[in-house]
Amino acid sequence: MTTATGAREQTREHSRGVPSGTYRLQFHADFTLDAGAELAGYLADLGVSHAYASPLLRSAEGSNHGYDTTDHAHVDEARGGREALDRFVAALHEHGLGLVLDLVPNHMGVDDAHASQWWWSLLELGQDSPHAHAFDVDWEFGGGRVRVPVLGSADDVAQLEVEDGELRYYEHRFPIAPGTGEGTPQEVHDRQHYELVDWRRADGDLNYRRFFAINTLAGLRVEDQRVFDATHELAVSLVSEGLVDGLRIDHPDGLADPQQYLDRLAEASGHRWTVVEKILEPGEQLPADWATAGTTGYDALSEVDGVLVDPAGEAALTALDTELVGHGVDYAELVHGTKREVTDGILGSEVARLARLVGDLPGVPAEQVVEGLAELLASFPVYRTYLPEGRSHLDATVAAVRERRPDLTAAVDGLHPLLATPHTELATRFEQTSGPVMAKGVEDSAYYRWARFVMLNEVGGDPAHFGISVADFHAAQEHRAAERSVSMTTLSTHDTKRSEDVRARLAVLAELPEEWAGLVRGWLARHPLADRPLAHLVWQNLVGAWPLSRERAQAYVEKAAREAGTSTTYTAPDEEFEAALHAMVDAAFDDPTTRSEIDAFVERITPPGWSNSLTQKLLQLTIAGVPDVYQGTELWDFSLVDPDNRRPVDYRARQELLAGLDDGAVPAVDASGAAKLLVVSRVLRHRRDSPGSFSRYEPVGVTGSAADHAVAFDRGGVVTVATRLPVGLAATGWGDTALELSHGGWRDLLTGTRVVSDAHGVSVAELLTALPVALLVKD
């Protein structure tokens, strides 16, 4: 067994210190590590084994997320610095907890060049910089200079100034290379190793790799051992000193060689439990030879959400969408179009760099090479390959493009063998580019354009697949238990489009599609908007998050409209359209008829939404894997996309409510969210205290008239029982529905209810009287 293979095997099968459950905390200047330390006792009481921290290394000033690391050698001072980290970990250890840390290996923040000393050095010294090897720059294309897109227009070079030995452009500061500071500011600029250019040129003329299309996040060449060592020295030392017990790796798809990176990390970290933020398309598997415990859980999110959806609602919601759009939507065609907008627009610089690497293809015009690359990227069915792993995706994409665009046959046939050769610069850069094209084209565009049923428009999901059956859910969980039993599972993250409870409430629409369609038609008639599909998206999200403040609603719809890019954009806002959009949202608050209809409908769907939320949470917490709870979501949380989902959390209220649960009776399923806190705390505590009870996965048979409304499975010591499609169930009741459990007594860990399994099994109606979910152990 090779060293690399050994590392992968050890990490996958014997990850050190596998958490029983994690709790994600978003640290920033207003929620520091010392604030986190104050929560250690609460997290222990909740039942998690590890706190799970957002990135903590020094980041851009004012960053509320930390994914714009500017210095890998220091803990961010705004978050408290190294001393606060030591205090935080000491508090965790005092309560028997560990720490999982989020790392960002793919890129670093360069918005403020002076704050990013590596970038400053690169700009000052160019290819002679001791840090030049760390960045992914095409020097030849830039004429030996790095193009920095910060100018308002090309004419703004006239606005440059030389001050205190630096070149200044308004608030931006740039270094001056030794011996080049004489003359006018423009003359000084022209002698630098960088060229300040119109920001609009970023789409086609940049010569450094970025994170997606964010100019202020410059890609790092972590495949270089020197870069790996320098960017991971502090993190590895935190692991070796016992401060960090597990790792979460951001955006591995941006790396030149994720497998190599994970092998190195496993070796350096002593094979600590490590998960990767890898988005898998439905049915796609994580590369088997990666030295990782698994993903951060978007795949599990999609499976859990899917089983909540009533397939009977698809036809009516599709009909409504067709009516609003004016024609039937081919989602695959929509995605292809949005991905082409990305290849031809904001990621045009990346496509152009690929074309430069291809060079001349015999008999193929240069423009056809560019077009062929763009079509291949737009047609790719997954985020990327990891050649030779995933070669079949490339082969299938080539075949699809040949069929779709016969005029490009010569181009794609010429590109195919070049892109299929592992570890060449061209093939690697193509792999690094296909992921951003997918993310920007699907998550940040198509998801905002197709509003048939936005509950499904979630990271890692597929809106074209209208839920999954109970049988398919069981099959997915059996596979998870067998192949990725210590992967992370999640329902909400800082990147989800809607929080879990919003999605759980919106799932109810699939059970009431005609009623929903009638409301939407009425609202559109009273408050027309030219972009009717966007209006439908807005109404769904308002109902999903209601009640919410006008300010939150307005901020969300503006972001959604600009992400959709159909009627307004970030770079060219349509003021008239946005005014009409904001007026429509105002009407939800101010028009008496509309407001009363929203209030009444939300009141109607809230109880079944709560039922869905409890089911969703119990499933996520008890399927195979390491369950994560995103900050605040142990109670009902009706948040929309960031920054809405990063609002402050009232921990005092949660602590008091948890203390009351430990002293009191079973809570009602009501607006307090206590029922959800009960589920979260009881399951997490049992996972922590009785890990052997979660050792396998077997579906539990359900019989009777309402069998389709139950999901039940045995984890080897506990049995999960949960309700699905609650609106339909309310019309019929459980009746004779029963669980096929072994004979004898059973006790619900959530409510204390005791039931007996006999020849007829366990009556579901008898079991689920206080809550729509149960977690059973043999009594």
Side-chain angles (χ1 to χ4, degrees):
M1 181 181 290
T2 67
T3 301
T5 301
R8 289 191 290 273
E9 289 298 324
Q10 183 169 350
T11 301
R12 188 167 66 249
E13 301 299 336
H14 305 291
S15 300
R16 291 179 57 183
V18 176
S20 63
T22 61
Y23 190 97
R24 172 73 176 205
L25 292 168
Q26 296 290 120
F27 289 102
H28 45 78
D30 295 323
F31 185 82
T32 65
L33 288 158
D34 283 319
E38 294 177 3
L39 295 178
Y42 167 67
L43 298 183
D45 289 343
L46 191 64
V48 299
S49 62
H50 290 67
Y52 165 28
S54 60
L56 297 179
L57 303 188
R58 185 181 290 165
S59 58
E61 184 177 357
S63 172
N64 70 347
H65 49 75
Y67 289 101
D68 43 8
T69 305
T70 58
D71 182 346
H72 294 82
H74 297 86
V75 177
D76 189 62
E77 289 81 2
R79 291 166 172 79
R82 176 58 190 265
E83 291 183 355
L85 175 60
D86 290 343
R87 291 191 293 270
F88 175 50
V89 173
L92 294 177
H93 289 179
E94 181 182 349
H95 292 278
L97 303 177
L99 177 63
V100 175
L101 180 61
D102 198 338
L103 294 183
V104 189
N106 173 68
H107 53 267
M108 71 184 303
V110 298
D111 185 31
D112 179 357
H114 195 267
S116 305
Q117 289 302 304
W118 287 15
W119 186 249
W120 184 270
S121 173
L122 180 82
L123 298 184
E124 181 182 21
L125 303 176
Q127 296 177 69
D128 292 330
S129 165
H131 301 295
H133 65 281
F135 297 99
D136 202 345
V137 180
D138 185 345
W139 294 101
E140 182 178 357
F141 179 61
R145 305 171 77 185
V146 182
R147 289 179 180 153
V148 183
V150 298
L151 301 182
S153 71
D155 295 337
D156 269 11
V157 290
Q159 305 299 319
L160 300 178
E161 296 179 353
V162 174
E163 185 177 339
D164 295 332
E166 298 174 351
L167 193 63
R168 303 282 178 87
Y169 175 67
Y170 296 105
E171 74 277 12
H172 297 282
R173 305 164 58 188
F174 301 98
I176 294 175
T180 66
E182 299 297 324
T184 67
Q186 186 167 348
E187 289 172 333
V188 171
H189 168 258
D190 291 344
R191 290 193 289 268
Q192 300 312 306
H193 297 286
Y194 55 89
E195 179 186 6
L196 305 183
V197 300
D198 185 336
W199 64 270
R200 297 168 187 83
R201 291 181 63 185
D203 286 1
D205 294 335
L206 280 198
N207 63 331
Y208 65 92
R209 183 172 63 85
R210 306 164 287 172
F211 170 73
F212 291 3
I214 302 177
N215 302 329
T216 56
L217 295 177
L220 290 174
R221 297 185 61 254
V222 75
E223 64 272 18
D224 186 310
Q225 184 72 54
R226 295 168 294 173
V227 179
F228 177 92
D229 291 342
T231 55
H232 288 72
E233 182 178 2
L234 175 58
V236 169
S237 72
L238 294 175
V239 171
S240 63
E241 292 170 28
L243 277 76
V244 169
D245 306 282
L247 298 168
R248 181 262 198 194
I249 305 305
D250 182 65
H251 190 48
D253 279 352
L255 306 180
D257 191 340
Q259 179 178 313
Q260 174 207 63
Y261 170 81
L262 290 168
D263 284 342
R264 285 177 174 170
L265 185 65
E267 191 67 28
S269 70
H271 309 282
R272 290 308 197 279
W273 180 82
T274 299
V275 290
V276 292
E277 188 221 14
K278 165 62 186 169
I279 298 170
L280 299 168
E281 290 298 287
E284 182 186 5
Q285 301 301 316
L286 196 67
D289 54 0
W290 280 13
T292 179
T295 74
T296 53
Y298 288 113
D299 43 335
L301 181 158
S302 180
E303 293 158 4
V304 171
D305 275 7
V307 81
L308 300 178
V309 176
D310 187 353
E314 181 173 14
L317 288 175
T318 301
L320 175 62
D321 182 66
T322 300
E323 174 187 331
L324 299 181
V325 176
H327 57 79
V329 173
D330 183 331
Y331 181 66
E333 190 64 25
L334 170 64
V335 166
H336 179 271
T338 54
K339 291 171 75 174
R340 276 307 305 259
E341 289 177 19
V342 172
T343 61
D344 301 350
I346 58 175
L347 290 181
S349 291
E350 283 68 22
V351 177
R353 188 168 184 178
L354 291 173
R356 293 195 298 275
L357 288 172
V358 173
D360 294 329
L361 279 182
V364 180
E367 61 271 16
Q368 291 239 313
V369 171
V370 174
E371 183 71 6
L373 287 166
E375 273 295 312
L376 289 168
L377 289 166
S379 303
F380 225 70
V382 295
Y383 277 74
R384 65 169 280 180
T385 57
Y386 311 90
L387 293 175
E389 179 109 20
R391 166 68 188 265
S392 61
H393 294 304
L394 175 63
D395 296 345
T397 302
V398 167
V401 173
R402 293 177 88 241
E403 182 176 350
R404 181 188 186 90
R405 294 286 302 275
D407 59 310
L408 294 177
T409 297
V412 297
D413 284 353
L415 290 168
H416 192 185
L418 301 179
L419 298 177
T421 305
H423 308 305
T424 62
E425 184 179 3
L426 173 62
T428 296
R429 291 198 184 283
F430 184 87
E431 290 178 311
Q432 290 176 292
T433 304
S434 62
V437 171
M438 174 76 87
K440 298 304 296 181
V442 177
E443 296 171 36
D444 294 340
S445 185
Y447 278 4
Y448 289 92
R449 294 190 187 181
W450 196 34
R452 177 180 71 159
F453 185 38
V454 300
M455 183 261 191
L456 299 176
N457 297 19
E458 192 51 83
V459 181
D462 183 353
H465 288 118
F466 207 87
I468 64 174
S469 67
V470 174
D472 287 343
F473 175 81
H474 284 316
Q477 302 324 310
E478 288 176 307
H479 177 82
R480 180 179 302 279
E483 300 295 330
R484 290 289 177 184
S485 62
V486 291
S487 182
M488 182 176 275
T489 70
T490 192
L491 289 178
S492 297
T493 76
H494 59 284
D495 278 336
T496 43
K497 302 302 182 185
R498 280 156 286 276
S499 69
E500 59 203 61
D501 295 317
V502 171
R503 300 195 310 272
R505 181 189 287 178
L506 289 176
V508 180
L509 301 186
E511 294 198 77
L512 301 168
E514 298 291 357
E515 186 174 339
W516 172 248
L519 286 169
V520 170
R521 293 186 184 104
W523 295 336
L524 289 174
R526 283 198 296 275
H527 318 294
L529 190 72
D531 191 334
R532 288 160 64 83
L534 179 67
H536 189 205
L537 178 141
V538 167
W539 289 117
Q540 287 178 77
N541 282 283
L542 289 181
V543 164
W546 199 264
L548 73 168
S549 71
R550 190 188 306 258
E551 291 73 22
R552 286 177 57 206
Q554 294 288 16
Y556 171 76
V557 300
E558 184 173 288
K559 176 171 182 171
R562 292 178 179 181
E563 294 279 19
T566 48
S567 299
T568 187
T569 65
Y570 287 108
T571 55
D574 185 319
E575 294 182 4
E576 183 178 355
F577 174 80
E578 291 192 0
L581 176 65
H582 289 303
M584 185 184 81
V585 174
D586 281 337
F589 292 87
D590 300 333
D591 180 82
T593 302
T594 301
R595 176 65 182 259
S596 65
E597 288 178 349
I598 292 174
D599 287 341
F601 186 68
V602 169
E603 184 178 4
R604 169 154 161 63
I605 66 173
T606 291
W610 287 335
S611 177
N612 282 338
S613 287
L614 296 179
T615 287
Q616 188 185 43
K617 202 65 190 172
L618 182 63
L619 296 181
Q620 181 240 338
L621 293 172
T622 57
I623 59 176
V626 175
D628 177 56
V629 176
Y630 181 71
Q631 60 176 32
T633 60
E634 64 269 36
L635 294 186
W636 308 135
D637 181 272
F638 296 95
S639 297
L640 299 171
V641 73
D642 69 281
D644 196 59
N645 59 14
R646 302 177 191 182
R647 290 170 293 133
V649 177
D650 185 347
Y651 283 110
R652 181 179 297 276
R654 285 161 173 77
Q655 289 168 314
E656 293 175 352
L657 200 55
L658 182 59
L661 289 178
D662 289 340
D663 294 335
V666 177
V669 182
D670 59 21
S672 71
K676 188 178 183 186
L677 183 60
L678 178 78
V679 170
V680 171
S681 60
R682 274 41 181 176
V683 178
L684 287 176
R685 291 174 183 180
H686 198 64
R687 289 197 72 129
R688 178 193 62 198
D689 299 339
S690 303
S693 297
F694 297 85
S695 58
R696 57 185 172 84
Y697 186 98
E698 292 182 6
V700 169
V702 185
T703 62
S705 58
D708 194 45
H709 291 278
V711 185
F713 50 85
D714 185 345
R715 287 302 319 280
V718 294
V719 172
T720 291
V721 185
T723 300
R724 63 187 294 266
L725 312 184
V727 174
L729 177 65
T732 63
W734 285 112
D736 61 350
T737 306
L739 302 171
E740 296 180 338
L741 295 177
S742 59
H743 289 193
W746 293 82
R747 178 170 55 89
D748 180 10
L749 291 177
L750 305 179
T751 65
T753 299
R754 285 179 161 81
V755 292
V756 175
S757 178
D758 55 22
H760 303 289
V762 168
S763 167
V764 177
E766 180 184 352
L767 175 64
L768 303 184
T769 54
L771 297 176
V773 294
L775 188 64
L776 300 176
V777 294
K778 287 302 286 280
D779 194 8

